């Protein structure tokens, strides 16, 4: 399926939420996996940016590989994003702020299309995925204190069912599963792969392969 046109992007926007979902009561939240000891703190609001980058060859989606020096999730592939700070106006502001800090994405180059439903993690993060079209006027540059490298995956690859497989990890006698994508030497799994698959199914739409 050729997804290079702005018409496709307009259709995506019709399938997104116009506002971020409010956080329900913590007791009503179900994480993607349940930690052994549960949670002893309130959920942490966070936002990630699913950036649809406009290129001459068509649209692609922006990913980062986290620095190996980070204490948590080092070396993993992630969307730009992080905690929503008290001074952030909303989830979109936080996602663009983090993208600017991590990869020098200029917020003025981004046009917010909408929001996906929240994703609650087993690490107690309440994530709002923010979807935006990005028309970059300058190259993305990895902040070495946070990001090892920046890469993009063509939207056609993300739209294809054949791009996905299942990733399994065993921890304390339990098996956890996530979606997995491999592209150009990068392995996307865990929360990032699950959000990518949700984006594929609910925003790009099923039955997209030609």
């Amino acid at each position: 399926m050729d997804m290079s046109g702005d018409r496709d992007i307009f259709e995506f926007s019709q399938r997104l939420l116009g506002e971020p979902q409010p956080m329900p009561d913590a007791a009503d939240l179900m994480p993607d996996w349940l930690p052994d000891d549960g949670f002893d703190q309130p959920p942490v609001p966070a936002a990630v940016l699913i950036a649809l980058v406009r290129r001459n060859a068509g649209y692609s989606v922006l990913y980062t590989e986290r620095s190996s020096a980070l204490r948590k999730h080092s070396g993993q592939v992630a969307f730009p994003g992080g905690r929503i700070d008290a001074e952030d106006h909303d989830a979109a502001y936080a996602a663009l702020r983090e993208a600017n800090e991590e990869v020098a994405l200029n917020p003025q180059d981004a046009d917010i299309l909408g929001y996906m439903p929240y994703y609650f993690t087993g690490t107690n993060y309440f994530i709002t995925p923010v979807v935006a079209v990005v028309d970059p006027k300058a190259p993305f540059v990895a902040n070495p204190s946070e990001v090892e490298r920046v890469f993009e995956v063509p939207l056609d690859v993300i739209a294809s069912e054949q791009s996905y497989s299942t990733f399994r990890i065993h921890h304390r006698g339990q098996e956890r599963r996530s979606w997995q994508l491999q592209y150009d030497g990068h392995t996307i799994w865990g929360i990032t792969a699950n959000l990518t698959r949700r984006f594929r199914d609910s925003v790009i739409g099923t039955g997209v392969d030609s």
Side-chain angles (χ1 to χ4, degrees):
M1 180 180 181
D2 180 10
M3 307 194 68
S4 60
D6 290 335
R7 184 181 66 179
D8 298 304
I9 302 303
F10 173 78
E11 291 178 357
F12 294 172
S13 68
Q14 306 307 298
R15 304 183 187 119
L16 292 166
L17 303 173
E19 299 288 340
Q21 286 182 320
M23 186 186 297
D25 291 336
D28 296 329
L29 287 168
M30 180 59 66
D32 55 357
W33 58 272
L34 191 62
D36 295 336
D37 300 328
F39 304 117
D40 58 4
Q41 297 291 330
V44 178
V48 298
L49 182 68
I50 301 180
L52 308 179
V53 184
R54 186 182 283 116
R55 300 295 188 189
N56 290 336
Y59 284 93
S60 58
V61 176
L62 180 67
Y63 293 88
T64 69
E65 183 179 318
R66 291 168 58 84
S67 170
S68 57
L70 292 174
R71 185 167 54 89
K72 293 184 178 180
H73 308 295
S74 61
Q76 291 185 11
V77 172
F79 291 115
R83 291 175 181 243
I84 300 177
D85 293 337
E87 59 269 25
D88 291 329
H89 304 311
D90 53 22
Y93 185 95
L96 291 174
R97 174 183 56 75
E98 288 282 351
N100 178 257
E101 293 174 3
E102 293 177 5
V103 301
L105 186 155
N106 188 338
Q108 294 182 351
D109 294 343
D111 183 16
I112 303 297
L113 294 180
Y115 306 85
M116 288 171 54
Y118 70 79
Y119 187 101
F120 185 50
T121 76
T123 51
N124 203 27
Y125 280 85
F126 181 91
I127 298 175
T128 297
V130 182
V131 182
V133 169
V134 176
D135 192 2
K137 305 300 189 296
F140 299 125
V141 180
N143 178 344
S145 66
E146 299 186 54
V147 173
E148 198 82 25
R149 57 182 55 87
V150 186
F151 67 98
E152 297 171 30
V153 179
L155 200 54
D156 283 340
V157 172
I158 289 172
S160 173
E161 177 71 30
Q162 282 66 48
S163 298
Y164 298 84
S165 59
T166 301
F167 181 90
R168 293 177 173 84
I169 184 171
H170 293 271
H171 179 71
R172 295 184 178 179
Q174 293 185 341
E175 181 182 81
R176 301 177 194 162
R177 298 186 183 188
S178 81
W179 289 106
Q180 175 179 269
L181 299 86
Q182 293 184 338
Y183 179 76
D184 196 26
H186 301 280
T187 299
I188 306 170
W189 63 280
I191 293 169
T192 305
N194 289 342
L195 284 173
T196 300
R197 179 68 189 211
R198 286 190 179 188
F199 174 75
R200 186 261 179 194
D201 288 348
S202 64
V203 180
I204 296 177
T206 56
V208 292
D209 291 332
S210 58

